[in-house]
C-alpha cells in the first residue's frame, strides 16, 4: 500500500480537517463530531442530510451547500456513520421545517439512520427519509436486500436540494426525492480494486486482463468478471443493462452522469461518455444535461459508472436550479 | 450463577478476541462484503475496554447497556446497531441484578437475539449473525434443561455456534452486503456469524476461568 497518509486510524479525521481548512465558506465541522454542515445555515427550508462511509469523496461533504445538502455525515471508511453522529447532524441543520435523510440502500446505513431518526423524533424533530437504490447490477428481488444506492444518489441530492430551496414542505421534498429515485438507474465497472487504508490490501484481485462488472462503491466484488474489452463494448454492455431496466422511449429526456471511481482519468470518462451519447442518440433519447467527473468515488479504484435519470418538467427545472457546493455548481 | 466479575471478564475476553481476530474477520468480510467487519468490531470493543474501568460499581444491567451504547456509537456498519442493540436489550431484562442465575443468562441471550432480529429483520438461514447465535442459544437451553452446569452449557453453545458458522458456508446470503453476490457468496463463511461464535467462546472461557 502506497498512500499519502500519516496514520491509518486517523485518515477520516485528518481528511475532515483538510476539507474544512480548504473550504470554510462552504462547510463547518460540528465540534467533537464527524459531521459537516452548511456554513451559511439557511432557515425557512427543509434541511437535507446524507451520509455513508468515508472514501466516496467528494461525496458527501462536497455536496453540502446552497441547493443541495445541509449536512453530511461521513462514517469511517466504507462504514455507515453511527446514530449519534447522524442525530447530531439532524439537530444542527433542522430549521423547524423538518429534515429529510437521504440514505443509500445498505443494511448498515439503513439501521444507523433509522436509529438516529428515532432519537430525533423523540426530541420532536420531524424526520422523513428516502432510500436510494439505483444500481441495476443487483437484482431487486426477495432474495437480496434490494438494489444498492450508488452514484445516482448525487442526483437525488441535487434535485431534492433544489426543491427544498424553494421552501417546499417536507412532504413535497420527500415526494420529489422519491420521483428521482424511481427514475434513476446506474451500473458500474472496475478495472482495478481499491485499498482501504486500515485493511492495507485491495478488496479483491483483478488481473490486467480482467474487469469486474456490476461493481458497488465500497470495493466489494461485483456481480460478474469478464475479460477486459474496448471502451465502447463496455459501455454497450452497461447501457444495455440500464436501458433494459429503465425502458426509455424515443423522445424521452434524460440526464447523464459518468462517474469516476477515483483513479480513472477524465480522459477515459469522456471516452465512455462519447459512446453513451451515441447510444442514446440512436434510440432517439434526448440528453438534457451531462455530468462527467468524480462524484461518488471508491477511494483509489479505477473504474466508472454510468447513471441515467429520466426527466419530466419538474425534474428538469430543479436540475438546472442554482447549486453552490464544493464539488457541484450549477 | 454468574457474578458481575465474570460478566466483566467475559466482555474483556471478547474484546481481546476482537483485537486478536481483527484481520481474520476483515479477510472474511473482504471475500463477501466490504472488508471492514474486523475493523468495525475492534474499534467498538477498544472503546468498550476504555469504558469498562468506569463501570465496576454499576449493576450488570447498566454495564451491558453501557457496552451496547458504546458499540452503537463507535462500530457503525451493520454490526454496530446489531451488536449494540443486543447488549442493550440483554441489559434491560437483568434490571438491578448483581448476580445472574442460569435462567437470567438464558433470558439475556434471548433478549439479545430478539434485539438483533428486530433491528436487522433477518431470520435464520440468511447467512448472518443469527446463524451462529440461534443454534448456540438453543444448545445452551437444551444443556441446562438436561441438568448441566452453565460452563458445560456454554461449551455446547460454542460448539453449536461454530457449526452454525460452517453452515453459513453452504448458503446464499440474502441479507446484508453479501446478498449482492448471490450465488458467489456460497463457499465463504459469514463474518458476522464468526464474530458471534467468538462471543460464545469468550463466555465459555469466562465461565471456565471462574472454575464452576
Ligand atoms: N439484517 C441483518 N441481520 C443480522 N445480521 C446481519 C444483517 N445484515 C448484516 N448482518 C451481519 O453483519 C455482518 C457485516 O457486518 P459489518 O460490520 O461488515 O457491516 P457492513 O455490512 O459492512 O456495514 P456497512 O455496510 O455500513 O459497512 C455480516 O457478516 C452479517 O453477519
Ligand atoms: Mg462489512
Amino acid at each position: 500500500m502506497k498512500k499519502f497518509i500519516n496514520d491509518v486510524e486517523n485518515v477520516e479525521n485528518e481528511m475532515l480537517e483538510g476539507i474544512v481548512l480548504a473550504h470554510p465558506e462552504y462547510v463547518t465541522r460540528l465540534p467533537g463530531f464527524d459531521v459537516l454542515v452548511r456554513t451559511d445555515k439557511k432557515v425557512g427550508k427543509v434541511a437535507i442530510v446524507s451520509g455513508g462511509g468515508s472514501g466516496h469523496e467528494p461525496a458527501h461533504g462536497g455536496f453540502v451547500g446552497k441547493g443541495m445538502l445541509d449536512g453530511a455525515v461521513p462514517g469511517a471508511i466504507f462504514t455507515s456513520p453511527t446514530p449519534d453522529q447522524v442525530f447530531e447532524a439532524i439537530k444542527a441543520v433542522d430549521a423547524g421545517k423538518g429534515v429529510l435523510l437521504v440514505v443509500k440502500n445498505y443494511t448498515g446505513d439503513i439501521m444507523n439512520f433509522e436509529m438516529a431518526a428515532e432519537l430525533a423524533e423523540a426530541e420532536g424533530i420531524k424526520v422523513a427519509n428516502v432510500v436510494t437504490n439505483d444500481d441495476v447490477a443487483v437484482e431487486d428481488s426477495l432474495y437480496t436486500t434490494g438494489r444498492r444506492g450508488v452514484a445516482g444518489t448525487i442526483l437525488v441530492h441535487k434535485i431534492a436540494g433544489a426543491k427544498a430551496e424553494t421552501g417546499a414542505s417536507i412532504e413535497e421534498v420527500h415526494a420529489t426525492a422519491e420521483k428521482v429515485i424511481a427514475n434513476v438507474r446506474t451500473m458500474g465497472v472496475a478495472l482495478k480494486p481499491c485499498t482501504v487504508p486500515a485493511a492495507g490490501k485491495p478488496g479483491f484481485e483483478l488481473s490486467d486482463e480482467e474487469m469486474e462488472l456490476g461493481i458497488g462503491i465500497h470495493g466489494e466484488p461485483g456481480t460478474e468478471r469478464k475479460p477486459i474489452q474496448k471502451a465502447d463494448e463496455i459501455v454497450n454492455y452497461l447501457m444495455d443493462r440500464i436501458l433494459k431496466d429503465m425502458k426509455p422511449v424515443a423522445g424521452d429526456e434524460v440526464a447523464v452522469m459518468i462517474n469516476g471511481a477515483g483513479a480513472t482519468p477524465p480522459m477515459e470518462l469522456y471516452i465512455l461518455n462519447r459512446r453513451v451519447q451515441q447510444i442514446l442518440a440512436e434510440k432517439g433519447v434526448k440528453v438534457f444535461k451531462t455530468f462527467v467527473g468524480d462524484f461518488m468515488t471508491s477511494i483509489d479504484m479505477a473504474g466508472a459508472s454510468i447513471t441515467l435519470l429520466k426527466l419530466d418538467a419538474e425534474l428538469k427545472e430543479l436540475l438546472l436550479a442554482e447549486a453552490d457546493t464544493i464539488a457541484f455548481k450549477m | 450463577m454468574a457474578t458481575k466479575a465474570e460478566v466483566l471478564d467475559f466482555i474483556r475476553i471478547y474484546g481481546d478476541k476482537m483485537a486478536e481476530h481483527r484481520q481474520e474477520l476483515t479477510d472474511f468480510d473482504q471475500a463477501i462484503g466490504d472488508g471492514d467487519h474486523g475493523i468495525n468490531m475492534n474499534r467498538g470493543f477498544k472503546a468498550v475496554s476504555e469504558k469498562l474501568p468506569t463501570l465496576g460499581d454499576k449493576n450488570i444491567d447498566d454495564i451491558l447497556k453501557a457496552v451496547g451504547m458504546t458499540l452503537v456509537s463507535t462500530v457503525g456498519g451493520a454490526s454496530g446497531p446489531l451488536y449494540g442493540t443486543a447488549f442493550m436489550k440483554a441489559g434491560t431484562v437483568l434490571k438491578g441484578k448483581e448476580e445472574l442465575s442460569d435462567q437470567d443468562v438464558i433470558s439475556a441471550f434471548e433478549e439479545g437475539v430478539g434485539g438483533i432480529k428486530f433491528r436487522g429483520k433477518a431470520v435464520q438461514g440468511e447467512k448472518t449473525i443469527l446463524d451462529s447465535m440461534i443454534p448456540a442459544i438453543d444448545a445452551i437451553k437444551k444443556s441446562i434443561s438436561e441438568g448441566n452446569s452453565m460452563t458445560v452449557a456454554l461449551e455446547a453453545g460454542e460448539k453449536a455456534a461454530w457449526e452454525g458458522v460452517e453452515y453459513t458456508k453452504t448458503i446464499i446470503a440474502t441479507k446484508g452486503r453479501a446478498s449482492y453476490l448471490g450465488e458467489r457468496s456460497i463457499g465463504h463463511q459469514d463474518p458476522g456469524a464468526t464474530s458471534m461464535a467468538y462471543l460464545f467462546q469468550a463466555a465459555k472461557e469466562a465461565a471456565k476461568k471462574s472454575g464452576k
Side-chain angles (χ1 to χ4, degrees), chain B residues 88-147:
Chain B
M88 290 196 288
K89 286 272 178 197
T92 55
V93 282
L94 303 176
K95 200 147 187 51
K97 303 254 172 177
E98 301 229 33
E99 246 183 7
L100 306 181
S101 67
D102 290 350
Q103 189 47 52
D104 287 335
V105 174
I106 289 172
S107 306
F109 278 130
E110 287 192 317
E111 275 301 305
V113 80
I116 291 179
K117 285 183 188 163
F118 165 78
R119 217 14 104 196
K121 298 173 186 76
V123 296
Q124 204 175 350
E126 299 198 86
K127 202 169 181 129
T128 71
I129 298 174
L130 295 177
D131 292 316
S132 61
M133 191 175 194
I134 293 173
I137 297 173
D138 287 345
I140 292 167
K141 275 164 43 183
K142 179 158 174 286
S143 181
I144 292 288
S145 76
E146 288 165 0

Side-chain angles (χ1 to χ4, degrees), chain A residues 53 77-81 106-109 111-112 145 218, chain B residues 25 29 32-38 40-41 75-80 82-83 116-117 119-123 126-130 175-178 189-195:
Chain A
I77 292 176
F78 292 167
T79 299
S80 356
Y106 298 99
T107 310
D109 287 25
M111 290 191 295
N112 285 288
T145 31
H218 302 93
Chain B
L25 293 170
D29 197 34
I32 56 168
D34 55 351
D36 60 359
H37 186 58
N40 294 345
M41 293 296 285
V75 177
S79 40
L82 294 169
Y83 274 92
I116 291 179
K117 285 183 188 163
R119 217 14 104 196
K121 298 173 186 76
V123 296
E126 299 198 86
K127 202 169 181 129
T128 71
I129 298 174
L130 295 177
K175 279 278 169 347
R177 263 182 211 290
Q189 77 188 65
D190 180 59
T194 310
S195 59

